[in-house]
Amino acid sequence: MTSKSLKLVSASVLALCLMGPQSGYAADAAGKAPEKADNDQAETIVVTASRQEDASRATQKIAPVLVNIQSIETIKKYPDFNAAEALGRIPGISLSTDTGEGRFVNIRGIDANLNGATYGGVVLLNTFPAGTAASGSGRAVEFDTVPTGAIDGIVVYKTLSPDREAEGLGGQIDLTPRTARNITKPFVEIELGAGYEPLHHHAGPYTGSIAVGAKMGDFSFVLTGSRKDDNRGVDDTEPSYANDGACGVNGGTSCGAPLDRVLGRADFRRYDYDRRRFGYGGELDYAPSADHHYYARVDVAGYIERALKDHFYANFDGNPSAPDAQGYVVDRFQPQIDIVNLQETHRNTVAATGGEDRFGDLQIDYRAAYSRATYNEGYYNEARFYGSDTYYGRYNNTADPKRFYYQFFQDAALTVPFNSFDTSQYGGANGKVALSSFSEHDADYEYSGVFNARYPVALFGSTGTVKAGISIRRRTKNVYDFAGFNTYPAGSTVVLSDYAQNAPQPYNYYYGRYPTSPIANYAAIANLVNTGIPTLSPSLGRDFNDKENITAGYAMYTVDYGKLDVLTGVRVEVTSETYGNYLTTTDVMGNSSTSFVNNIKKYTNIFPTLQLKYQFSNELQLRAIYSTGIARPGFSQAGGNAGVDFTTAPRPVYSAGNPNLKPTTGNNFDLDLEYYLPHGGIIQVGVFDKEFKNYIFKSAQVNQPNPIFLGQNGDFVTYINESAYARGIEIAYQQKFAFLPGVLSGLGVEANLTLVKSHFREYAAAVSGDGTDQYGSLPGTSNVTWNLAGFYEKGPVSVRLSSQYVSASLFALNGDKSLDTIQAARLTMDLTSSYKVGSHYEVFFAAKNLLNTPLRYNDGAAYRTQQIEYYGATYEGGVRIKF
């Protein structure tokens, strides 16, 4: 759209503010969906997630924008631990998992860093800036910090209106807190549950939640609290390759199979996570009359996690023998035991106060809010015990890419098996001991304010509503790292036998396939690290202190002309950012100095929209939409931080932000046909086209010569902009077969499918391995995602068997398309059931991850497995009580 046309749109919409009357209408957040106004008068709908499934579907139907709504009633039908997993059930949503749980979500295949997130309308911030989705260091929000017990529903905005923040190129997610607004009588709701996780024989998860509320005259309140303790075990194997991306890059010699399968190391990792997820909050409402309403709300959610990690590493020389008749090769290796214990806390806090007033035809609402996200790594203790490089490993990684075969021996003749549990082989006279310790303290907080006004306007023979407003956001984000290192050389008195038991594990690691480390004494390891590293020093490479100010204004007009509903308007956002980083420079004499530098950026964006909805009948409607949005760079992406890490293998890595990085903007086109069925059912088909300008991604140039690498080659990693697009189709179908006779009337199905084709240039010809421009799908984008659930709901009985599929996606760029890290496709299955005992009690049982689906990554070709991580199933039962 040209600047001239943008000015015309802005002028036209603003002119509507001067024209004639009609009042707005807010949706009933308690569960009753608003009905369409009579006399062809349009209304402004405040879309919220109703508690009941049918009401949520009704709100979705009348919403002026394209949304999907998940009620708390629906969320409880699945065994989901957190908000991310609940989101994964919604059409067009794909899930990124970590440590066995959902964490980040993509909307319509769009990288999670490009989507927006709010909690009760207040912007939700990400807790850990270095841990965002698709290796992006962007702005993706970790939805695993919010337990399902801390929310009352979910709204996914597929298209944005001018009265919402413009962040959300793929879409925007609003987690709805429990509200006190519509409480009419006292209530108490309690849920208690316990379970078992067989993989490491862990008791748990343990679940407890409570919600209470009441109305007292003009005041009403609600208080909520929830906690979920999960003691998940993880079995992980991570092979890495001797060439590790050196082949085929920048004119290097091509080395296809089997040369690119030569292992540099094989990692056998056992993890035990103790995660305590929490959520608590409350709201106080005051409504002295039907025309005036005021509220104050505070909500806190997050988790505290302690992790115990035991690793056995086989460090191969990378010079194997020729394969034998069975495909096995032999290579010498150095054994290593790595023991880690850590504790970290993720926390989100959202506080808001505001109100609504109606003065005749004029309606206003306003809100002041504070949002805060913190990440604190209280301690990270790591001790690495090395053995002698005198042992021999036999492996076959060509027969099955999903299962590599290993055998380890003490001698070259391969006659005496190597025992990874023998603690006398590590440290002391056999090898060095390396200690490391870290802590980190990150804070991201924002003050915001919003003011909106609605007034009825007559235009072209029909009366609609003009809504206009302003908003301000003042955000500060900082990261502070501390680190310490120490090494005891071979021959020291530090030996693993003083810090671990010389005995096998009490269970079969990785189903008995692979060796693992001895049982560690974690308290002794922590004492060793703290004694060897008594103080930590500031580590400035990732540290930053950034500020971001966003000031916005908008005007929009909603009206209906008989069967045609129209929403049009424009939003203007002015952004001012200050990126503050530590920068280390070296002069010609080799002297280095570190200073703090600020990079300042300012820009203005205009976001027009036109959204049409045509109702063929009460059940059938068509939406045609043009909308726009923005995704600002991640703070570390656009900062001026830069540095070389010489500890990375096989080459040093130079990492840098890009102060010239531009925000990603997009034009979005949607066409959506919806047919609404009884009992909350729907048949929905939609197509979309998202055209991105200045798409941000992490670029890597590997195996490059440069003086900064001190005589060796290294890798350059930074962030750049490219044009890109994502196009696709969504199909959703949900129906309860109430028309069937007798007991069969409780049967039903819930299904959705999303197909996405995305495109961007991964590597320019100047840096690619084959000297050509290389194109691919957007990072984190799965071409195919689907959900399928069969259920039975009749009387007191509810049973649901559900499955999810997410196809492969690009996770990280490693210098050439043939070497990119790919997250493999995955299919999962869950079972939930419940039985109501009278009107106040309900017992439930859930089984999660019935297929024991692993998390799997590969480097480039599918046979170059990088990681396979198993979590096992989770079983949980309990009771829900409601008065």
Side-chain angles (χ1 to χ4, degrees):
M1 180 172 287
T2 66
S3 60
K4 181 178 179 180
S5 59
L6 286 174
K7 292 177 181 178
L8 288 173
V9 171
S10 304
S12 299
V13 175
L14 291 173
L16 298 177
C17 297
L18 304 176
M19 308 174 70
Q22 215 281 307
S23 59
Y25 187 92
D28 184 337
K32 181 180 179 181
E35 298 177 358
K36 188 169 180 176
D38 295 329
N39 303 320
D40 290 334
Q41 292 186 339
E43 53 191 320
T44 299
I45 304 299
V46 179
V47 181
T48 60
S50 305
R51 292 186 56 78
Q52 285 76 43
E53 189 171 31
D54 288 5
S56 286
R57 184 74 73 195
T59 302
Q60 174 180 327
K61 177 182 177 182
I62 65 172
V65 294
L66 181 59
V67 296
N68 290 108
I69 300 176
Q70 193 87 304
S71 67
I72 188 62
E73 180 185 49
T74 303
I75 291 171
K76 288 184 177 181
K77 294 178 180 179
Y78 294 96
D80 298 327
F81 281 14
N82 59 58
E85 295 178 342
L87 280 159
R89 313 290 179 175
I90 295 175
I93 302 292
S94 59
L95 197 63
S96 176
T97 62
D98 186 67
T99 63
E101 294 186 17
R103 172 164 292 178
F104 301 108
V105 295
N106 292 358
I107 304 175
R108 292 169 154 183
I110 307 304
D111 177 4
N113 291 296
L114 275 62
N115 296 321
T118 59
Y119 192 91
V122 179
V123 172
L124 194 63
L125 310 176
N126 63 314
T127 59
F128 186 35
T132 53
S135 296
S137 294
R139 301 193 180 214
V141 169
E142 306 92 339
F143 286 102
D144 64 339
T145 62
V146 182
T148 53
I151 58 177
D152 210 37
I154 299 170
V155 181
V156 177
Y157 291 82
K158 301 288 181 65
T159 62
L160 302 181
S161 52
D163 56 344
R164 296 192 66 82
E165 299 292 335
E167 290 178 335
L169 286 171
Q172 197 176 97
I173 295 163
D174 183 50
L175 305 181
T176 302
R178 191 71 178 260
T179 181
R181 180 167 185 172
N182 296 282
I183 293 175
T184 57
K185 60 181 180 180
F187 74 90
V188 178
E189 296 177 6
I190 299 172
E191 180 174 325
L192 299 171
Y196 179 63
E197 295 176 310
L199 184 63
H200 287 188
H201 306 304
H202 286 170
Y206 299 104
T207 300
S209 68
I210 184 170
V212 298
K215 182 175 177 61
M216 299 172 292
D218 295 336
F219 290 90
S220 57
F221 75 91
V222 64
L223 298 173
T224 64
S226 66
R227 176 169 165 176
K228 197 174 192 76
D229 292 6
D230 181 28
N231 304 302
R232 187 178 308 281
V234 178
D235 285 348
D236 180 24
T237 178
E238 299 189 19
S240 55
Y241 299 86
N243 68 324
D244 197 25
C247 298
V249 177
N250 295 305
T253 303
S254 177
C255 53
L259 294 181
D260 62 352
R261 297 186 180 187
V262 173
L263 293 182
R265 194 171 82 176
D267 300 2
F268 306 99
R269 307 182 176 194
R270 190 195 77 242
Y271 304 148
D272 286 292
Y273 289 95
D274 181 4
R275 178 176 290 182
R276 187 175 75 223
R277 185 177 283 108
F278 56 85
Y280 54 89
E283 181 178 283
L284 176 66
D285 274 41
Y286 173 58
S289 70
D291 291 330
H292 303 282
H293 165 248
Y294 311 99
Y295 68 92
R297 184 179 71 242
V298 177
D299 292 284
V300 179
Y303 62 80
I304 302 171
E305 178 175 85
R306 184 187 180 199
L308 306 176
K309 302 183 178 183
D310 296 283
H311 305 169
F312 166 64
Y313 296 154
N315 297 297
F316 292 105
D317 286 359
N319 188 28
S321 66
D324 63 17
Q326 287 77 40
Y328 283 87
V329 300
V330 178
D331 196 4
R332 196 167 65 177
F333 79 94
Q334 177 189 29
Q336 172 188 335
I337 297 297
D338 195 6
I339 301 170
V340 177
N341 66 330
L342 64 91
Q343 180 173 294
E344 60 185 35
T345 302
H346 299 250
R347 184 188 302 266
N348 284 100
T349 301
V350 177
T353 183
E356 299 176 9
D357 296 288
R358 189 190 301 268
F359 304 100
D361 288 330
L362 175 66
Q363 182 177 350
I364 62 172
D365 66 84
Y366 36 86
R367 182 187 69 227
Y370 174 73
S371 183
R372 182 179 179 90
T374 58
Y375 170 80
N376 285 291
E377 188 170 54
Y379 60 85
Y380 178 101
N381 300 313
E382 182 174 7
R384 294 185 173 186
F385 297 82
Y386 292 83
S388 302
D389 191 8
T390 57
Y391 303 97
Y392 291 84
R394 184 172 181 260
Y395 65 84
N396 183 336
N397 61 344
T398 61
D400 184 352
K402 296 182 180 180
R403 179 178 178 181
F404 290 3
Y405 298 87
Y406 301 92
Q407 297 172 336
F408 298 100
F409 301 91
Q410 296 188 39
D411 59 328
L414 311 182
T415 59
V416 182
F418 172 82
N419 178 11
S420 65
F421 296 110
D422 184 353
T423 58
S424 66
Q425 300 170 117
Y426 309 96
N430 295 297
K432 67 179 180 179
V433 178
L435 307 180
S436 56
S437 181
F438 303 93
S439 68
E440 182 173 345
H441 309 284
D442 305 340
D444 189 355
Y445 55 93
E446 179 176 287
Y447 297 92
S448 63
V450 176
F451 179 85
N452 302 301
R454 304 177 183 87
Y455 196 76
V457 171
L459 185 65
F460 301 127
S462 189
T463 298
T465 300
V466 162
K467 183 180 180 183
I470 58 173
S471 69
I472 58 171
R473 295 170 55 191
R474 300 295 181 258
R475 183 174 183 178
T476 300
K477 192 178 187 75
N478 51 60
V479 171
Y480 299 109
D481 288 301
F482 300 87
F485 306 92
N486 193 10
T487 300
Y488 299 100
S492 73
T493 59
V494 181
V495 60
L496 180 61
S497 56
D498 292 335
Y499 302 95
Q501 300 178 33
N502 194 21
Q505 299 296 334
Y507 64 93
N508 287 329
Y509 162 77
Y510 223 88
Y511 308 102
R513 298 175 188 171
Y514 302 133
T516 189
S517 65
I519 300 174
N521 183 332
Y522 294 101
I525 289 292
N527 185 63
L528 172 65
V529 173
N530 293 330
T531 302
I533 311 173
T535 59
L536 303 183
S537 301
S539 178
L540 305 180
R542 284 183 48 246
D543 287 4
F544 60 80
N545 191 330
D546 297 348
K547 295 184 182 298
E548 181 177 81
N549 297 331
I550 302 172
T551 303
Y554 75 90
M556 59 183 263
Y557 182 62
T558 54
V559 65
D560 64 318
Y561 297 99
K563 295 184 176 182
L564 177 65
D565 296 349
V566 179
L567 182 155
T568 187
V570 65
R571 183 179 183 89
V572 179
E573 292 191 348
V574 179
T575 306
S576 175
E577 297 168 324
T578 302
Y579 299 103
N581 305 89
Y582 290 95
L583 184 63
T584 300
T585 57
T586 304
D587 61 24
V588 293
M589 302 300 293
N591 301 312
S592 63
S593 62
T594 300
S595 59
F596 190 83
V597 297
N598 284 315
N599 291 285
I600 299 175
K601 297 179 67 175
K602 295 182 180 180
Y603 49 89
T604 300
N605 298 97
I606 300 175
F607 305 102
T609 188
L610 176 62
Q611 307 197 35
L612 308 176
K613 181 176 68 174
Y614 187 82
Q615 295 178 297
F616 296 98
S617 66
N618 189 47
E619 294 81 19
L620 181 64
Q621 62 185 31
L622 176 70
R623 299 178 188 265
I625 299 169
Y626 165 69
S627 60
T628 51
I630 191 172
R632 297 176 177 87
F635 292 91
S636 59
Q637 292 175 342
N641 57 308
V644 181
D645 185 353
F646 286 95
T647 66
T648 55
R651 292 173 299 278
V653 175
Y654 173 83
S655 301
N658 181 0
N660 296 318
L661 205 61
K662 298 177 180 178
T664 305
T665 54
N667 292 308
N668 308 320
F669 304 90
D670 290 85
L671 191 65
D672 192 75
L673 185 66
E674 305 161 2
Y675 187 79
Y676 289 85
L677 302 168
H679 309 289
I682 191 172
I683 301 174
Q684 185 174 9
V685 179
V687 294
F688 59 89
D689 179 9
K690 296 180 177 292
E691 303 290 332
F692 301 124
K693 182 179 180 181
N694 297 316
Y695 176 79
I696 299 169
F697 69 100
K698 190 174 185 179
S699 172
Q701 300 179 34
V702 305
N703 204 32
Q704 302 289 311
N706 192 286
I708 65 173
F709 297 126
L710 304 180
Q712 58 184 312
N713 285 5
D715 300 344
F716 288 88
V717 178
T718 188
Y719 301 90
I720 61 176
N721 294 115
E722 284 280 358
S723 295
Y725 68 77
R727 301 162 184 163
I729 182 171
E730 284 184 333
I731 302 173
Y733 170 56
Q734 180 176 341
Q735 185 173 18
K736 186 175 182 181
F737 303 137
F739 53 84
L740 293 176
V743 295
L744 298 179
S745 61
L747 292 172
V749 65
E750 186 172 334
N752 58 71
L753 168 69
T754 304
L755 305 175
V756 180
K757 177 178 175 56
S758 62
H759 180 83
F760 82 116
R761 186 176 67 172
E762 293 188 46
Y763 306 99
V767 299
S768 70
D770 59 9
T772 66
D773 287 342
Q774 296 180 346
Y775 296 87
S777 297
L778 297 178
T781 301
S782 298
N783 295 333
V784 181
T785 60
W786 54 258
N787 288 275
L788 177 62
F791 62 84
Y792 183 83
E793 297 173 356
K794 189 172 180 63
V797 178
S798 176
V799 181
R800 181 174 296 248
L801 182 65
S802 58
S803 58
Q804 293 179 298
Y805 174 80
V806 179
S807 66
S809 62
L810 173 63
F811 182 79
L813 288 82
N814 297 326
D816 186 80
K817 190 173 174 63
S818 64
L819 302 169
D820 291 341
T821 301
I822 305 298
Q823 181 170 321
R826 58 197 185 277
L827 174 66
T828 60
M829 182 174 291
D830 306 314
L831 173 69
T832 50
S833 61
S834 64
Y835 185 85
K836 292 182 179 179
V837 182
S839 58
H840 300 298
Y841 303 94
E842 181 181 48
V843 294
F844 67 90
F845 172 78
K848 187 177 180 181
N849 194 23
L850 290 172
L851 301 180
N852 192 19
T853 302
L855 175 67
R856 181 173 183 268
Y857 295 91
N858 57 275
D859 283 340
Y863 57 75
R864 280 174 58 100
T865 294
Q866 183 196 75
Q867 178 182 11
I868 301 181
E869 191 171 82
Y870 281 95
Y871 313 108
T874 299
Y875 304 98
E876 184 179 15
V879 60
R880 299 185 182 109
I881 305 168
K882 184 176 181 179
F883 290 99

